[in-house]
Amino acid sequence: MAPASCAEAPSAEAIAGIAEATRAAFPAPFDGLAREVRIAVLDWPPDDVLDEMGADSAYDLTGLYEGAALTERSTEWPEPPSVISLYRRPILDEWAERGDVTLTELVAHVTVHEFAHHFGWSDDDIASIDRWWE
């Protein structure tokens, strides 16, 4: 008798769908300001990103905003489109370890955190209103 099949881990496409639904739910004026940002889901953060961020482990980084914050832009300084990268395996690992949030809640949290950087918020600004780790 064959063992019961195991459910598969959520795919990159499933995580991208949650991130896109999170963006679609942003209220004005954030909805318009978020449109230009590309969302990418990768299994792991690249080694050069880990080195740049000073991360000890690939599991330490669930997302990254790359681009100039809206508060730092000017007409004299054109910017290529910004990118938010979500890292699937670290997200899934945190989800499994926590056990107290849904995958949708976790992906939405990481997505909002990275968009906050796009809007010009620092990690300290975000932490002052979002005590996620508690």
Side-chain angles (χ1 to χ4, degrees):
M1 175 176 224
S5 65
C6 296
E8 291 184 20
S11 67
E13 293 78 17
I15 291 173
I18 296 167
E20 290 294 350
T22 300
R23 175 184 13 210
F26 285 173
F30 299 105
D31 57 344
L33 297 171
R35 283 190 199 122
E36 73 162 56
V37 179
R38 186 171 71 86
I39 297 174
V41 179
L42 308 169
D43 271 346
W44 296 103
D47 289 338
D48 61 324
V49 168
L50 293 171
D51 291 343
E52 185 179 321
M53 301 298 293
D56 293 329
S57 165
Y59 289 102
D60 293 341
L61 191 62
T62 55
L64 179 68
Y65 171 73
E66 295 176 279
L70 295 175
T71 55
E72 297 174 3
R73 295 182 185 183
S74 71
T75 56
E76 294 85 40
W77 186 28
E79 268 300 306
S82 299
V83 177
I84 288 175
S85 297
L86 302 177
Y87 302 117
R88 177 179 164 271
R89 296 287 303 273
I91 287 171
L92 294 178
D93 189 68
E94 181 175 335
W95 175 49
E97 275 188 22
R98 288 181 64 104
D100 63 348
V101 297
T102 67
L103 181 62
T104 298
E105 290 170 329
L106 180 57
V107 172
H109 167 77
V110 174
T111 301
V112 168
H113 180 101
E114 299 311 329
F115 269 107
H117 289 305
H118 174 67
F119 302 138
W121 297 14
S122 70
D123 279 330
D124 288 340
D125 294 334
I126 297 165
S128 72
I129 62 167
D130 182 12
R131 313 284 297 173
W132 180 257
W133 61 91
E134 292 180 344

